Amino acid sequence: MHHDLNSLWKSNTPRVVVVLDAELAYDHEAHARYQSAERFLPADAAHLSPRELRTDPRVTPRWPCHRITTLSWLVMTEAEDGLRPVRLETRGLPEQDEAAVLKAFFAEMEQLGRVQIVTWGGFHSDLPQILIGAIDAGLRLPSCLTGLLSPWRRDASGHLDLCSEMCGGAAPAHLAEVAARLGMPVKLTCRPNLVSQLMQQGKWPAVRSVAEGDVLTTAALLMRWRHLSGGTVSVLEAMRRLTGFVAEHCAHRPYAADWQRYADGLLGASYAAEARKLETLGASACN
């Protein structure tokens, strides 16, 4: 579903927040070229411990030898009363390879013009992957994303890694850990370590659900984070906007029912809290 974003914002240059998540797969051909450059043979792995087998890049491919299989992004407008979801896009295999996915993503970002990219842990994962994929495909970054070329200049990069912001000096946490603390829907499609199996089995709709699920959870956390500084009217209203968007635009996805239960739970808790207030006021009036 497409909207005229300028019609949703009073300024001629609307501020748009884009929450994204990428799902990745090993690029075995690239990794084989790396092993050849290292003169690495299977026999060289015989003396490695199980931990070394997981961490040695000659055995387990690191990010330069990954490729984006699926990219999902949620477009939200930013106004005085908080964030509003507008559109959820997901591109990937089997219809589009990494180059086509990035080309489509860049085209939309160019159209949006002024964006802030938001991820969970994307400083170490999604953004490097997008940049190396664009280099490999011979693509140019849209003008609104050129700040990503200076990732260490957090204030000027145009990218907010919500994991870094929320965790601060604490050890970086998984998205599921923080969402669990706040009772939010998260990792609804499958365990994170089983996503590669979905890819191998060609279950691409499920992979898309995984990416979209992480985007929606990250968006919910962003809304709660913004509320700390008065960035939205209320937590209930912010979550109502997001869950309403899921109900309207993502009803075909298996995670939609979980988000509806989450919305119902929040509303029930709100009613219960108001009822307790009335009971307290009633008791005070009788004394």
Side-chain angles (χ1 to χ4, degrees), residues 23-28 60-61 67 69-70 93-94 190-208 210:
E23 298 301 326
L24 314 171
Y26 292 152
D27 183 339
H28 293 291
T60 302
R67 281 190 181 274
T69 64
T70 306
L93 293 173
C190 70
R191 282 167 32 188
N193 64 341
L194 296 182
V195 178
S196 60
Q197 291 186 22
L198 295 178
M199 296 179 188
Q200 293 166 7
Q201 296 165 2
K203 296 181 178 179
W204 296 110
V207 176
R208 292 188 177 210
V210 170

Coordinates of all heavy atoms in Angstrom, one line a residue, residues 23-28 60-61 67 69-70 93-94 190-208 210:
E23 N 18.1 -10.7 6.2 CA 18.5 -12.1 6.4 C 19.6 -12.5 5.4 O 19.5 -12.1 4.2 CB 17.2 -13.0 6.2 CG 16.1 -12.7 7.2 CD 16.5 -12.9 8.7 OE1 17.4 -13.8 8.9 OE2 16.0 -12.1 9.5
L24 N 20.5 -13.3 5.9 CA 21.8 -13.6 5.1 C 22.0 -15.0 4.9 O 21.5 -15.9 5.7 CB 23.0 -12.9 5.8 CG 22.8 -11.5 6.3 CD1 24.0 -11.1 7.2 CD2 22.7 -10.5 5.2
A25 N 22.8 -15.4 3.9 CA 23.2 -16.7 3.6 C 24.7 -16.7 3.2 O 25.2 -15.7 2.7 CB 22.4 -17.4 2.5
Y26 N 25.3 -17.8 3.5 CA 26.7 -17.9 3.1 C 26.9 -17.9 1.6 O 26.1 -18.5 0.8 CB 27.4 -19.2 3.6 CG 27.5 -19.4 5.1 CD1 27.5 -20.6 5.7 CD2 27.7 -18.3 5.9 CE1 27.6 -20.8 7.1 CE2 27.8 -18.4 7.2 CZ 27.8 -19.6 7.8 OH 27.9 -19.8 9.2
D27 N 27.9 -17.1 1.1 CA 28.3 -17.1 -0.3 C 29.5 -18.1 -0.4 O 30.6 -17.8 -0.1 CB 28.7 -15.7 -0.7 CG 29.1 -15.6 -2.2 OD1 29.4 -16.7 -2.8 OD2 29.1 -14.5 -2.7
H28 N 29.1 -19.4 -0.7 CA 30.2 -20.4 -0.7 C 31.2 -20.2 -1.7 O 32.4 -20.6 -1.6 CB 29.5 -21.8 -0.8 CG 28.6 -22.1 0.4 ND1 29.2 -22.4 1.6 CD2 27.3 -22.2 0.5 CE1 28.2 -22.7 2.5 NE2 27.0 -22.6 1.8
T60 N 34.4 -21.0 9.0 CA 33.0 -20.5 9.0 C 33.0 -19.1 8.4 O 33.7 -18.2 8.9 CB 32.5 -20.4 10.5 OG1 32.5 -21.7 11.0 CG2 31.1 -19.9 10.5
P61 N 32.3 -18.9 7.3 CA 32.4 -17.6 6.6 C 31.9 -16.4 7.5 O 30.9 -16.5 8.2 CB 31.5 -17.8 5.4 CG 31.4 -19.3 5.2 CD 31.5 -19.9 6.5
R67 N 25.7 -13.1 1.8 CA 24.9 -12.4 0.8 C 23.5 -12.2 1.4 O 23.0 -13.0 2.1 CB 24.8 -13.1 -0.5 CG 26.0 -12.9 -1.4 CD 25.7 -13.4 -2.8 NE 26.9 -13.3 -3.6 CZ 27.2 -12.2 -4.3 NH1 26.4 -11.1 -4.3 NH2 28.3 -12.1 -5.0
T69 N 19.7 -12.4 1.4 CA 18.7 -13.1 0.7 C 17.3 -12.5 0.8 O 16.5 -12.6 -0.1 CB 18.6 -14.6 1.3 OG1 18.1 -14.5 2.6 CG2 19.9 -15.3 1.2
T70 N 17.1 -11.7 1.9 CA 15.9 -11.0 2.1 C 16.1 -9.7 2.9 O 16.9 -9.7 3.8 CB 14.9 -11.9 3.0 OG1 14.8 -13.2 2.4 CG2 13.6 -11.3 3.2
L93 N 14.9 -13.4 -2.4 CA 14.8 -14.7 -3.1 C 13.4 -15.3 -2.9 O 12.8 -15.1 -1.9 CB 15.9 -15.6 -2.7 CG 17.4 -15.2 -3.1 CD1 18.4 -16.1 -2.4 CD2 17.6 -15.1 -4.6
P94 N 12.9 -16.1 -3.9 CA 13.6 -16.5 -5.1 C 13.4 -15.5 -6.3 O 14.1 -15.6 -7.3 CB 12.9 -17.8 -5.5 CG 11.5 -17.6 -5.0 CD 11.7 -16.8 -3.7
C190 N 10.3 -18.9 13.8 CA 11.2 -20.0 14.2 C 12.3 -19.5 15.0 O 12.5 -18.3 15.2 CB 11.7 -20.7 12.9 SG 12.9 -19.8 12.0
R191 N 13.1 -20.5 15.6 CA 14.3 -20.1 16.3 C 15.3 -19.5 15.3 O 15.4 -19.9 14.1 CB 14.9 -21.4 16.9 CG 14.2 -21.9 18.1 CD 14.7 -23.3 18.6 NE 16.1 -23.6 18.2 CZ 16.6 -24.8 18.4 NH1 15.8 -25.8 18.8 NH2 17.8 -25.0 18.1
P192 N 16.0 -18.5 15.8 CA 17.0 -17.8 14.9 C 17.9 -18.7 14.2 O 18.3 -18.5 13.0 CB 17.7 -16.8 15.8 CG 16.7 -16.5 16.9 CD 16.0 -17.8 17.1
N193 N 18.4 -19.8 14.9 CA 19.4 -20.6 14.2 C 18.8 -21.6 13.2 O 19.5 -22.4 12.6 CB 20.2 -21.4 15.3 CG 19.3 -22.4 16.1 OD1 18.1 -22.2 16.1 ND2 19.9 -23.3 16.8
L194 N 17.5 -21.5 13.0 CA 16.8 -22.4 12.0 C 16.5 -21.7 10.7 O 16.0 -22.3 9.8 CB 15.6 -23.0 12.6 CG 15.7 -24.0 13.8 CD1 14.4 -24.5 14.3 CD2 16.7 -25.1 13.5
V195 N 16.8 -20.4 10.7 CA 16.5 -19.6 9.5 C 17.2 -20.2 8.3 O 16.6 -20.2 7.1 CB 16.8 -18.1 9.7 CG1 16.5 -17.3 8.4 CG2 16.0 -17.6 10.8
S196 N 18.5 -20.5 8.5 CA 19.2 -21.1 7.3 C 18.6 -22.3 6.8 O 18.6 -22.6 5.6 CB 20.7 -21.4 7.8 OG 20.7 -22.3 8.8
Q197 N 18.0 -23.1 7.6 CA 17.3 -24.3 7.2 C 16.1 -24.0 6.3 O 15.8 -24.6 5.3 CB 16.8 -25.2 8.3 CG 18.0 -25.9 9.1 CD 17.5 -26.8 10.2 OE1 16.3 -27.3 10.1 NE2 18.3 -27.1 11.2
L198 N 15.3 -22.9 6.7 CA 14.2 -22.4 5.9 C 14.7 -22.1 4.5 O 14.1 -22.4 3.5 CB 13.6 -21.2 6.5 CG 12.9 -21.5 7.8 CD1 12.3 -20.1 8.4 CD2 11.8 -22.5 7.7
M199 N 15.9 -21.4 4.4 CA 16.5 -21.1 3.1 C 16.8 -22.3 2.3 O 16.5 -22.4 1.1 CB 17.7 -20.2 3.3 CG 17.4 -18.8 4.0 SD 18.9 -17.9 4.2 CE 18.4 -16.5 5.2
Q200 N 17.5 -23.2 2.9 CA 17.9 -24.5 2.2 C 16.7 -25.2 1.7 O 16.7 -25.9 0.7 CB 18.7 -25.3 3.2 CG 20.0 -24.7 3.5 CD 20.7 -25.4 4.7 OE1 20.2 -26.5 5.2 NE2 21.8 -24.9 5.2
Q201 N 15.6 -25.2 2.4 CA 14.3 -25.9 2.0 C 13.5 -25.1 1.1 O 12.4 -25.5 0.6 CB 13.5 -26.2 3.3 CG 14.2 -27.2 4.2 CD 13.6 -27.3 5.6 OE1 12.6 -26.6 5.9 NE2 14.1 -28.0 6.5
G202 N 13.9 -23.8 0.7 CA 13.2 -23.0 -0.2 C 11.9 -22.4 0.4 O 11.0 -22.1 -0.4
K203 N 11.8 -22.3 1.7 CA 10.6 -21.8 2.3 C 10.8 -20.2 2.4 O 10.8 -19.7 3.5 CB 10.4 -22.4 3.7 CG 10.2 -23.9 3.6 CD 9.9 -24.6 4.9 CE 9.6 -26.0 4.8 NZ 9.4 -26.7 6.1
W204 N 10.8 -19.6 1.3 CA 11.0 -18.1 1.3 C 9.9 -17.3 1.9 O 10.2 -16.3 2.5 CB 11.3 -17.7 -0.1 CG 12.6 -18.3 -0.6 CD1 12.7 -19.3 -1.6 CD2 13.9 -18.1 -0.2 NE1 14.0 -19.7 -1.8 CE2 14.8 -19.0 -0.9 CE3 14.5 -17.3 0.8 CZ2 16.2 -19.0 -0.7 CZ3 15.8 -17.3 1.0 CH2 16.7 -18.1 0.3
P205 N 8.6 -17.7 1.8 CA 7.6 -16.9 2.6 C 7.9 -16.9 4.1 O 7.7 -15.9 4.7 CB 6.3 -17.6 2.2 CG 6.6 -18.2 0.9 CD 8.0 -18.7 0.9
A206 N 8.4 -18.0 4.6 CA 8.7 -18.1 6.0 C 9.9 -17.2 6.3 O 10.0 -16.5 7.4 CB 9.0 -19.5 6.5
V207 N 10.9 -17.1 5.4 CA 12.1 -16.3 5.6 C 11.6 -14.8 5.6 O 12.1 -14.0 6.4 CB 13.1 -16.5 4.5 CG1 14.3 -15.6 4.7 CG2 13.6 -18.0 4.6
R208 N 10.7 -14.5 4.8 CA 10.2 -13.1 4.7 C 9.5 -12.8 6.0 O 9.6 -11.6 6.6 CB 9.2 -12.9 3.6 CG 10.0 -13.0 2.2 CD 9.0 -12.6 1.1 NE 9.8 -12.7 -0.2 CZ 9.5 -11.9 -1.2 NH1 8.5 -11.0 -1.2 NH2 10.2 -11.9 -2.3
V210 N 10.2 -14.0 8.9 CA 11.3 -13.8 9.9 C 11.8 -12.3 9.9 O 11.9 -11.7 10.9 CB 12.5 -14.8 9.7 CG1 13.7 -14.4 10.6 CG2 12.0 -16.2 10.0

